[in-house]
Amino acid sequence: MKLFETIREMGHEQVFFCHDKESDMRAIIALHDTSLGPAMGATRLWPYAREEDALRDVLRLSRGMTYKAACANIPVGGGKAVIIGNPENKTDGLLKAYGRFVDSLKGRFITGQDVNISSEDVRKIRQETSYVVGGAEKAGGPVFTTALGVFLGIKAAVEFRLPQKELHELKVTVQGIGNVGKNLCKQLHEYGIRIFVSDLKSENTEEVKHLYGATIVEPKEIYSLDVDVFAPCALGGILNSSTIPLIKAPIIAGAANNQLENEHIHSRLLESKEILYCPDYVINAGGLINVYNEMIGSDEENTLKQLNNIYHSLLDIFRRAKKEGITTHEAAKHLAEERIMRAKNSCLLSASAFRTSASQY
Ligand code: NAD
């Protein structure tokens, strides 16, 4: 990979390669854009086969965080960190060494939990830095707020695409009944919505069948069900040239990150099938909103209020996509870029006002 060419194209500000001799901790921290505020993004620990894979992941995920924060209208930038290693070899020394690197950025990067980083690990990282959030479980915790954000996104999409339908008349499929999927099923059930679920683990689907009367379907069947909404809450890359032709739902609205296998090709393919796609980083911003509010010490009421930004941003995106004849993926990107540009311009304006007033002394 040509590093400078790649980060120029993707718009990154800084990428840090961190190594600790004692623990052999190897991490990459990427700050994508800090125009809106300090870069926020969780830390993932993964046994990447190649260093290049780790770099690709951290660059893509940090850029996604910039767009996520901008669309959610919260004043933070986009960042992400990956630690390269086997989760089984995670030691206190490694986590603490990582914490010291985070601390050395003096608040330009604020992190939290992602894959293979537990609340206990966050506590260890916190021994070395205060620039780490998570574990407070305010407003129901990030999983609850992510699911609530997805529910609000479904509401916005239904109002836009199926205005004649009441919520209780809907049929929704949920792919992946993990932390978020389960919470989403609970919320759908509270509105009397019929739920269809699939998961590779039968105990997960059995639980929501028992609790919320969900109908269990085979993982392969989930795409082709005749329902109103398909909610991907499992893996990324599941919207691709093999699955999209099977999808009958007129709306895709789910929590999974990086749902489009190829953003350009597959967002257009969905558009050509008149399927309304809720861009993943807009609809799944509930977790980020939760940890941001934990960071600023704001109350639960404020967190829940901010979650409504997901509903409003999605409606803006749908209207803009329709008016401009572009995909919802493109419209979301434009919305985020405009908000970032406005922040940059207002910084330039205040800097020039400062220079003018300073020159009078
Ligand atoms: P999780 O690991 O708890 O749940 C994922 C579930 O998907 C598991 O039960 C797994 O068995 C199932 N699954 C995997 N492959 C499947 C397949 N092919 N078909 C059906 N089920 C399958 O994860 P989670 O925390 O619930 O997150 C779900 C998704 O949402 C992930 O993509 C995650 O990145 C994204 N997300 C989560 C949060 C959060 O707050 N947890 C926030 C934003 C985005």
Side-chain angles (χ1 to χ4, degrees), residues 135-178:
E137 298 297 309
K138 282 193 173 170
V143 166
F144 172 78
T145 48
T146 301
L148 183 54
V150 172
F151 179 73
L152 293 170
I154 291 177
K155 214 163 154 266
V158 170
E159 277 174 33
F160 186 82
R161 180 73 173 75
L162 304 170
Q164 72 286 5
K165 283 233 169 170
E166 298 285 337
L167 281 179
H168 69 268
E169 295 170 336
L170 294 178
K171 287 190 265 177
V172 176
T173 50
V174 184
Q175 179 189 46
I177 307 301

mmCIF file of all heavy atoms in Angstrom, residues 135-178:
data_model
loop_
_atom_site.group_PDB
_atom_site.id
_atom_site.type_symbol
_atom_site.label_atom_id
_atom_site.label_comp_id
_atom_site.label_asym_id
_atom_site.label_seq_id
_atom_site.Cartn_x
_atom_site.Cartn_y
_atom_site.Cartn_z
ATOM 1 N N GLY A 135 -18.302 1.514 29.805
ATOM 2 C CA GLY A 135 -18.452 0.761 31.051
ATOM 3 C C GLY A 135 -19.407 1.403 32.042
ATOM 4 O O GLY A 135 -19.798 0.771 33.011
ATOM 5 N N ALA A 136 -19.822 2.669 31.772
ATOM 6 C CA ALA A 136 -20.708 3.316 32.741
ATOM 7 C C ALA A 136 -22.156 2.853 32.587
ATOM 8 O O ALA A 136 -22.949 2.958 33.517
ATOM 9 C CB ALA A 136 -20.625 4.829 32.584
ATOM 10 N N GLU A 137 -22.496 2.315 31.407
ATOM 11 C CA GLU A 137 -23.851 1.790 31.139
ATOM 12 C C GLU A 137 -24.945 2.819 31.403
ATOM 13 O O GLU A 137 -26.017 2.492 31.882
ATOM 14 C CB GLU A 137 -24.123 0.518 31.961
ATOM 15 C CG GLU A 137 -23.177 -0.626 31.626
ATOM 16 C CD GLU A 137 -23.268 -1.134 30.182
ATOM 17 O OE1 GLU A 137 -24.379 -1.417 29.723
ATOM 18 O OE2 GLU A 137 -22.227 -1.214 29.508
ATOM 19 N N LYS A 138 -24.651 4.090 31.093
ATOM 20 C CA LYS A 138 -25.686 5.123 31.253
ATOM 21 C C LYS A 138 -26.703 5.009 30.126
ATOM 22 O O LYS A 138 -26.364 4.551 29.038
ATOM 23 C CB LYS A 138 -25.049 6.504 31.219
ATOM 24 C CG LYS A 138 -24.382 6.853 32.520
ATOM 25 C CD LYS A 138 -24.062 8.329 32.537
ATOM 26 C CE LYS A 138 -23.542 8.723 33.893
ATOM 27 N NZ LYS A 138 -23.019 10.067 33.883
ATOM 28 N N ALA A 139 -27.927 5.465 30.366
ATOM 29 C CA ALA A 139 -29.010 5.427 29.367
ATOM 30 C C ALA A 139 -29.144 4.020 28.770
ATOM 31 O O ALA A 139 -29.391 3.855 27.599
ATOM 32 C CB ALA A 139 -28.772 6.466 28.265
ATOM 33 N N GLY A 140 -28.935 2.993 29.603
ATOM 34 C CA GLY A 140 -29.094 1.610 29.139
ATOM 35 C C GLY A 140 -27.837 1.053 28.500
ATOM 36 O O GLY A 140 -27.804 -0.106 28.101
ATOM 37 N N GLY A 141 -26.797 1.875 28.356
ATOM 38 C CA GLY A 141 -25.544 1.398 27.752
ATOM 39 C C GLY A 141 -25.568 1.508 26.243
ATOM 40 O O GLY A 141 -26.632 1.682 25.634
ATOM 41 N N PRO A 142 -24.390 1.405 25.595
ATOM 42 C CA PRO A 142 -24.292 1.612 24.144
ATOM 43 C C PRO A 142 -25.110 0.618 23.309
ATOM 44 O O PRO A 142 -25.616 0.981 22.250
ATOM 45 C CB PRO A 142 -22.799 1.447 23.840
ATOM 46 C CG PRO A 142 -22.105 1.352 25.121
ATOM 47 C CD PRO A 142 -23.081 1.210 26.223
ATOM 48 N N VAL A 143 -25.254 -0.612 23.804
ATOM 49 C CA VAL A 143 -26.008 -1.594 23.016
ATOM 50 C C VAL A 143 -27.484 -1.196 22.936
ATOM 51 O O VAL A 143 -28.103 -1.203 21.857
ATOM 52 C CB VAL A 143 -25.848 -3.010 23.624
ATOM 53 C CG1 VAL A 143 -26.864 -3.957 23.037
ATOM 54 C CG2 VAL A 143 -24.440 -3.518 23.391
ATOM 55 N N PHE A 144 -28.030 -0.807 24.091
ATOM 56 C CA PHE A 144 -29.436 -0.398 24.121
ATOM 57 C C PHE A 144 -29.653 0.826 23.208
ATOM 58 O O PHE A 144 -30.596 0.871 22.424
ATOM 59 C CB PHE A 144 -29.866 -0.075 25.557
ATOM 60 C CG PHE A 144 -31.229 0.539 25.625
ATOM 61 C CD1 PHE A 144 -32.367 -0.242 25.504
ATOM 62 C CD2 PHE A 144 -31.380 1.917 25.768
ATOM 63 C CE1 PHE A 144 -33.636 0.328 25.527
ATOM 64 C CE2 PHE A 144 -32.641 2.504 25.801
ATOM 65 C CZ PHE A 144 -33.767 1.702 25.680
ATOM 66 N N THR A 145 -28.746 1.818 23.317
ATOM 67 C CA THR A 145 -28.951 3.033 22.519
ATOM 68 C C THR A 145 -28.712 2.756 21.022
ATOM 69 O O THR A 145 -29.350 3.373 20.173
ATOM 70 C CB THR A 145 -28.065 4.204 23.004
ATOM 71 O OG1 THR A 145 -26.740 3.729 23.158
ATOM 72 C CG2 THR A 145 -28.557 4.781 24.306
ATOM 73 N N THR A 146 -27.813 1.815 20.702
ATOM 74 C CA THR A 146 -27.634 1.456 19.283
ATOM 75 C C THR A 146 -28.949 0.875 18.750
ATOM 76 O O THR A 146 -29.425 1.261 17.673
ATOM 77 C CB THR A 146 -26.501 0.416 19.108
ATOM 78 O OG1 THR A 146 -25.303 0.978 19.618
ATOM 79 C CG2 THR A 146 -26.302 0.052 17.648
ATOM 80 N N ALA A 147 -29.532 -0.037 19.518
ATOM 81 C CA ALA A 147 -30.786 -0.673 19.067
ATOM 82 C C ALA A 147 -31.909 0.355 18.976
ATOM 83 O O ALA A 147 -32.701 0.340 18.018
ATOM 84 C CB ALA A 147 -31.158 -1.801 20.018
ATOM 85 N N LEU A 148 -31.955 1.277 19.941
ATOM 86 C CA LEU A 148 -33.002 2.300 19.901
ATOM 87 C C LEU A 148 -32.819 3.201 18.671
ATOM 88 O O LEU A 148 -33.779 3.577 17.997
ATOM 89 C CB LEU A 148 -32.973 3.125 21.201
ATOM 90 C CG LEU A 148 -34.043 4.180 21.363
ATOM 91 C CD1 LEU A 148 -35.445 3.598 21.190
ATOM 92 C CD2 LEU A 148 -33.949 4.832 22.747
ATOM 93 N N GLY A 149 -31.554 3.521 18.367
ATOM 94 C CA GLY A 149 -31.266 4.322 17.171
ATOM 95 C C GLY A 149 -31.731 3.593 15.907
ATOM 96 O O GLY A 149 -32.311 4.210 15.004
ATOM 97 N N VAL A 150 -31.503 2.294 15.858
ATOM 98 C CA VAL A 150 -31.949 1.517 14.683
ATOM 99 C C VAL A 150 -33.480 1.543 14.603
ATOM 100 O O VAL A 150 -34.057 1.719 13.521
ATOM 101 C CB VAL A 150 -31.422 0.054 14.742
ATOM 102 C CG1 VAL A 150 -32.032 -0.796 13.638
ATOM 103 C CG2 VAL A 150 -29.894 0.033 14.639
ATOM 104 N N PHE A 151 -34.120 1.428 15.748
ATOM 105 C CA PHE A 151 -35.580 1.471 15.748
ATOM 106 C C PHE A 151 -36.077 2.825 15.211
ATOM 107 O O PHE A 151 -36.987 2.887 14.379
ATOM 108 C CB PHE A 151 -36.117 1.214 17.164
ATOM 109 C CG PHE A 151 -37.609 1.266 17.218
ATOM 110 C CD1 PHE A 151 -38.372 0.239 16.684
ATOM 111 C CD2 PHE A 151 -38.263 2.362 17.743
ATOM 112 C CE1 PHE A 151 -39.756 0.305 16.675
ATOM 113 C CE2 PHE A 151 -39.646 2.443 17.738
ATOM 114 C CZ PHE A 151 -40.397 1.409 17.212
ATOM 115 N N LEU A 152 -35.438 3.917 15.658
ATOM 116 C CA LEU A 152 -35.841 5.254 15.166
ATOM 117 C C LEU A 152 -35.576 5.373 13.665
ATOM 118 O O LEU A 152 -36.328 6.025 12.933
ATOM 119 C CB LEU A 152 -35.077 6.345 15.920
ATOM 120 C CG LEU A 152 -35.438 6.471 17.407
ATOM 121 C CD1 LEU A 152 -34.457 7.391 18.124
ATOM 122 C CD2 LEU A 152 -36.864 6.994 17.555
ATOM 123 N N GLY A 153 -34.498 4.733 13.214
ATOM 124 C CA GLY A 153 -34.177 4.725 11.779
ATOM 125 C C GLY A 153 -35.237 3.972 10.993
ATOM 126 O O GLY A 153 -35.652 4.401 9.900
ATOM 127 N N ILE A 154 -35.694 2.858 11.529
ATOM 128 C CA ILE A 154 -36.757 2.084 10.856
ATOM 129 C C ILE A 154 -38.009 2.965 10.745
ATOM 130 O O ILE A 154 -38.657 3.028 9.703
ATOM 131 C CB ILE A 154 -37.056 0.776 11.639
ATOM 132 C CG1 ILE A 154 -35.870 -0.190 11.522
ATOM 133 C CG2 ILE A 154 -38.353 0.126 11.170
ATOM 134 C CD1 ILE A 154 -36.003 -1.484 12.312
ATOM 135 N N LYS A 155 -38.286 3.682 11.823
ATOM 136 C CA LYS A 155 -39.470 4.554 11.844
ATOM 137 C C LYS A 155 -39.363 5.611 10.723
ATOM 138 O O LYS A 155 -40.306 5.831 9.961
ATOM 139 C CB LYS A 155 -39.513 5.250 13.209
ATOM 140 C CG LYS A 155 -40.868 5.489 13.731
ATOM 141 C CD LYS A 155 -40.789 5.779 15.226
ATOM 142 C CE LYS A 155 -41.975 6.611 15.610
ATOM 143 N NZ LYS A 155 -41.804 8.012 15.611
ATOM 144 N N ALA A 156 -38.180 6.240 10.635
ATOM 145 C CA ALA A 156 -37.993 7.277 9.602
ATOM 146 C C ALA A 156 -38.140 6.668 8.210
ATOM 147 O O ALA A 156 -38.814 7.242 7.331
ATOM 148 C CB ALA A 156 -36.599 7.909 9.753
ATOM 149 N N ALA A 157 -37.550 5.501 7.999
ATOM 150 C CA ALA A 157 -37.593 4.875 6.669
ATOM 151 C C ALA A 157 -39.012 4.474 6.290
ATOM 152 O O ALA A 157 -39.421 4.642 5.134
ATOM 153 C CB ALA A 157 -36.669 3.658 6.654
ATOM 154 N N VAL A 158 -39.758 3.979 7.270
ATOM 155 C CA VAL A 158 -41.143 3.566 6.979
ATOM 156 C C VAL A 158 -41.985 4.807 6.644
ATOM 157 O O VAL A 158 -42.766 4.795 5.688
ATOM 158 C CB VAL A 158 -41.742 2.764 8.165
ATOM 159 C CG1 VAL A 158 -43.235 2.542 7.989
ATOM 160 C CG2 VAL A 158 -41.010 1.422 8.299
ATOM 161 N N GLU A 159 -41.794 5.869 7.401
ATOM 162 C CA GLU A 159 -42.559 7.101 7.124
ATOM 163 C C GLU A 159 -42.280 7.599 5.707
ATOM 164 O O GLU A 159 -43.150 8.122 5.028
ATOM 165 C CB GLU A 159 -42.172 8.197 8.123
ATOM 166 C CG GLU A 159 -42.931 8.066 9.423
ATOM 167 C CD GLU A 159 -42.439 9.068 10.462
ATOM 168 O OE1 GLU A 159 -42.027 10.196 10.093
ATOM 169 O OE2 GLU A 159 -42.465 8.699 11.636
ATOM 170 N N PHE A 160 -41.035 7.430 5.268
ATOM 171 C CA PHE A 160 -40.645 7.943 3.952
ATOM 172 C C PHE A 160 -41.058 7.006 2.824
ATOM 173 O O PHE A 160 -41.595 7.438 1.802
ATOM 174 C CB PHE A 160 -39.126 8.136 3.927
ATOM 175 C CG PHE A 160 -38.638 8.792 2.679
ATOM 176 C CD1 PHE A 160 -38.690 10.177 2.541
ATOM 177 C CD2 PHE A 160 -38.137 8.040 1.627
ATOM 178 C CE1 PHE A 160 -38.246 10.789 1.382
ATOM 179 C CE2 PHE A 160 -37.692 8.648 0.473
ATOM 180 C CZ PHE A 160 -37.746 10.023 0.335
ATOM 181 N N ARG A 161 -40.816 5.715 3.015
ATOM 182 C CA ARG A 161 -40.979 4.757 1.912
ATOM 183 C C ARG A 161 -42.349 4.080 1.901
ATOM 184 O O ARG A 161 -42.872 3.735 0.845
ATOM 185 C CB ARG A 161 -39.868 3.701 2.030
ATOM 186 C CG ARG A 161 -39.838 2.619 0.994
ATOM 187 C CD ARG A 161 -39.348 3.157 -0.345
ATOM 188 N NE ARG A 161 -39.176 2.085 -1.288
ATOM 189 C CZ ARG A 161 -40.155 1.455 -1.905
ATOM 190 N NH1 ARG A 161 -41.414 1.804 -1.669
ATOM 191 N NH2 ARG A 161 -39.910 0.480 -2.752
ATOM 192 N N LEU A 162 -42.923 3.891 3.112
ATOM 193 C CA LEU A 162 -44.217 3.196 3.208
ATOM 194 C C LEU A 162 -45.179 4.041 4.047
ATOM 195 O O LEU A 162 -45.631 3.609 5.115
ATOM 196 C CB LEU A 162 -44.027 1.826 3.876
ATOM 197 C CG LEU A 162 -43.010 0.854 3.250
ATOM 198 C CD1 LEU A 162 -42.768 -0.329 4.164
ATOM 199 C CD2 LEU A 162 -43.512 0.374 1.890
ATOM 200 N N PRO A 163 -45.463 5.287 3.601
ATOM 201 C CA PRO A 163 -46.202 6.195 4.482
ATOM 202 C C PRO A 163 -47.594 5.702 4.876
ATOM 203 O O PRO A 163 -48.153 6.130 5.888
ATOM 204 C CB PRO A 163 -46.295 7.491 3.653
ATOM 205 C CG PRO A 163 -45.989 7.102 2.265
ATOM 206 C CD PRO A 163 -45.164 5.872 2.293
ATOM 207 N N GLN A 164 -48.121 4.778 4.095
ATOM 208 C CA GLN A 164 -49.468 4.292 4.406
ATOM 209 C C GLN A 164 -49.476 3.264 5.538
ATOM 210 O O GLN A 164 -50.532 2.921 6.057
ATOM 211 C CB GLN A 164 -50.140 3.737 3.128
ATOM 212 C CG GLN A 164 -49.596 2.410 2.604
ATOM 213 C CD GLN A 164 -48.213 2.508 1.915
ATOM 214 O OE1 GLN A 164 -47.572 3.557 1.876
ATOM 215 N NE2 GLN A 164 -47.741 1.396 1.390
ATOM 216 N N LYS A 165 -48.296 2.805 5.933
ATOM 217 C CA LYS A 165 -48.234 1.717 6.931
ATOM 218 C C LYS A 165 -48.104 2.234 8.356
ATOM 219 O O LYS A 165 -47.318 3.135 8.625
ATOM 220 C CB LYS A 165 -47.036 0.804 6.646
ATOM 221 C CG LYS A 165 -47.270 -0.146 5.516
ATOM 222 C CD LYS A 165 -46.977 -1.587 5.914
ATOM 223 C CE LYS A 165 -47.506 -2.499 4.821
ATOM 224 N NZ LYS A 165 -47.108 -3.860 4.961
ATOM 225 N N GLU A 166 -48.858 1.621 9.274
ATOM 226 C CA GLU A 166 -48.680 1.886 10.709
ATOM 227 C C GLU A 166 -47.589 0.941 11.215
ATOM 228 O O GLU A 166 -47.421 -0.162 10.659
ATOM 229 C CB GLU A 166 -49.982 1.559 11.454
ATOM 230 C CG GLU A 166 -51.186 2.377 11.049
ATOM 231 C CD GLU A 166 -51.133 3.792 11.597
ATOM 232 O OE1 GLU A 166 -50.437 4.014 12.604
ATOM 233 O OE2 GLU A 166 -51.775 4.660 10.993
ATOM 234 N N LEU A 167 -46.917 1.347 12.294
ATOM 235 C CA LEU A 167 -45.822 0.505 12.806
ATOM 236 C C LEU A 167 -46.289 -0.921 13.134
ATOM 237 O O LEU A 167 -45.631 -1.904 12.811
ATOM 238 C CB LEU A 167 -45.214 1.131 14.060
ATOM 239 C CG LEU A 167 -44.238 2.288 13.829
ATOM 240 C CD1 LEU A 167 -43.733 2.839 15.161
ATOM 241 C CD2 LEU A 167 -43.046 1.862 12.975
ATOM 242 N N HIS A 168 -47.474 -1.030 13.764
ATOM 243 C CA HIS A 168 -47.910 -2.370 14.200
ATOM 244 C C HIS A 168 -48.260 -3.289 13.022
ATOM 245 O O HIS A 168 -48.421 -4.488 13.203
ATOM 246 C CB HIS A 168 -49.083 -2.274 15.183
ATOM 247 C CG HIS A 168 -50.345 -1.788 14.540
ATOM 248 N ND1 HIS A 168 -50.688 -0.465 14.505
ATOM 249 C CD2 HIS A 168 -51.314 -2.452 13.869
ATOM 250 C CE1 HIS A 168 -51.838 -0.336 13.860
ATOM 251 N NE2 HIS A 168 -52.239 -1.518 13.457
ATOM 252 N N GLU A 169 -48.332 -2.718 11.815
ATOM 253 C CA GLU A 169 -48.649 -3.554 10.641
ATOM 254 C C GLU A 169 -47.385 -4.135 9.993
ATOM 255 O O GLU A 169 -47.460 -4.892 9.040
ATOM 256 C CB GLU A 169 -49.372 -2.717 9.575
ATOM 257 C CG GLU A 169 -50.727 -2.218 10.013
ATOM 258 C CD GLU A 169 -51.300 -1.185 9.030
ATOM 259 O OE1 GLU A 169 -50.533 -0.527 8.289
ATOM 260 O OE2 GLU A 169 -52.517 -1.041 9.026
ATOM 261 N N LEU A 170 -46.224 -3.711 10.521
ATOM 262 C CA LEU A 170 -44.969 -4.080 9.845
ATOM 263 C C LEU A 170 -44.529 -5.512 10.104
ATOM 264 O O LEU A 170 -44.821 -6.087 11.144
ATOM 265 C CB LEU A 170 -43.840 -3.167 10.320
ATOM 266 C CG LEU A 170 -43.917 -1.696 9.975
ATOM 267 C CD1 LEU A 170 -42.722 -0.970 10.588
ATOM 268 C CD2 LEU A 170 -43.934 -1.490 8.463
ATOM 269 N N LYS A 171 -43.763 -6.025 9.105
ATOM 270 C CA LYS A 171 -43.045 -7.289 9.294
ATOM 271 C C LYS A 171 -41.558 -6.969 9.113
ATOM 272 O O LYS A 171 -41.176 -6.363 8.108
ATOM 273 C CB LYS A 171 -43.479 -8.310 8.233
ATOM 274 C CG LYS A 171 -44.881 -8.848 8.486
ATOM 275 C CD LYS A 171 -45.196 -10.012 7.579
ATOM 276 C CE LYS A 171 -45.918 -9.523 6.356
ATOM 277 N NZ LYS A 171 -46.218 -10.523 5.370
ATOM 278 N N VAL A 172 -40.749 -7.359 10.089
ATOM 279 C CA VAL A 172 -39.318 -7.018 10.061
ATOM 280 C C VAL A 172 -38.477 -8.287 10.251
ATOM 281 O O VAL A 172 -38.784 -9.103 11.127
ATOM 282 C CB VAL A 172 -38.984 -6.000 11.192
ATOM 283 C CG1 VAL A 172 -37.493 -5.706 11.244
ATOM 284 C CG2 VAL A 172 -39.764 -4.700 11.001
ATOM 285 N N THR A 173 -37.429 -8.427 9.425
ATOM 286 C CA THR A 173 -36.493 -9.538 9.655
ATOM 287 C C THR A 173 -35.238 -8.974 10.312
ATOM 288 O O THR A 173 -34.742 -7.920 9.916
ATOM 289 C CB THR A 173 -36.034 -10.205 8.341
ATOM 290 O OG1 THR A 173 -35.590 -9.198 7.452
ATOM 291 C CG2 THR A 173 -37.120 -11.016 7.709
ATOM 292 N N VAL A 174 -34.737 -9.693 11.298
ATOM 293 C CA VAL A 174 -33.501 -9.282 11.970
ATOM 294 C C VAL A 174 -32.470 -10.396 11.759
ATOM 295 O O VAL A 174 -32.680 -11.530 12.175
ATOM 296 C CB VAL A 174 -33.725 -9.027 13.485
ATOM 297 C CG1 VAL A 174 -32.445 -8.502 14.124
ATOM 298 C CG2 VAL A 174 -34.882 -8.056 13.709
ATOM 299 N N GLN A 175 -31.378 -10.028 11.087
ATOM 300 C CA GLN A 175 -30.288 -10.998 10.860
ATOM 301 C C GLN A 175 -29.233 -10.792 11.945
ATOM 302 O O GLN A 175 -28.627 -9.734 12.009
ATOM 303 C CB GLN A 175 -29.663 -10.750 9.488
ATOM 304 C CG GLN A 175 -28.516 -11.699 9.175
ATOM 305 C CD GLN A 175 -27.775 -11.308 7.908
ATOM 306 O OE1 GLN A 175 -27.445 -10.143 7.710
ATOM 307 N NE2 GLN A 175 -27.537 -12.269 7.036
ATOM 308 N N GLY A 176 -29.050 -11.783 12.805
ATOM 309 C CA GLY A 176 -28.067 -11.644 13.882
ATOM 310 C C GLY A 176 -28.741 -11.235 15.169
ATOM 311 O O GLY A 176 -29.148 -10.076 15.339
ATOM 312 N N ILE A 177 -28.900 -12.223 16.071
ATOM 313 C CA ILE A 177 -29.585 -11.933 17.345
ATOM 314 C C ILE A 177 -28.533 -11.933 18.454
ATOM 315 O O ILE A 177 -28.540 -12.770 19.360
ATOM 316 C CB ILE A 177 -30.726 -12.972 17.601
ATOM 317 C CG1 ILE A 177 -31.651 -13.022 16.368
ATOM 318 C CG2 ILE A 177 -31.544 -12.634 18.826
ATOM 319 C CD1 ILE A 177 -32.299 -11.685 16.007
ATOM 320 N N GLY A 178 -27.601 -10.982 18.329
ATOM 321 C CA GLY A 178 -26.584 -10.797 19.371
ATOM 322 C C GLY A 178 -27.047 -9.684 20.293
ATOM 323 O O GLY A 178 -28.254 -9.483 20.503
#
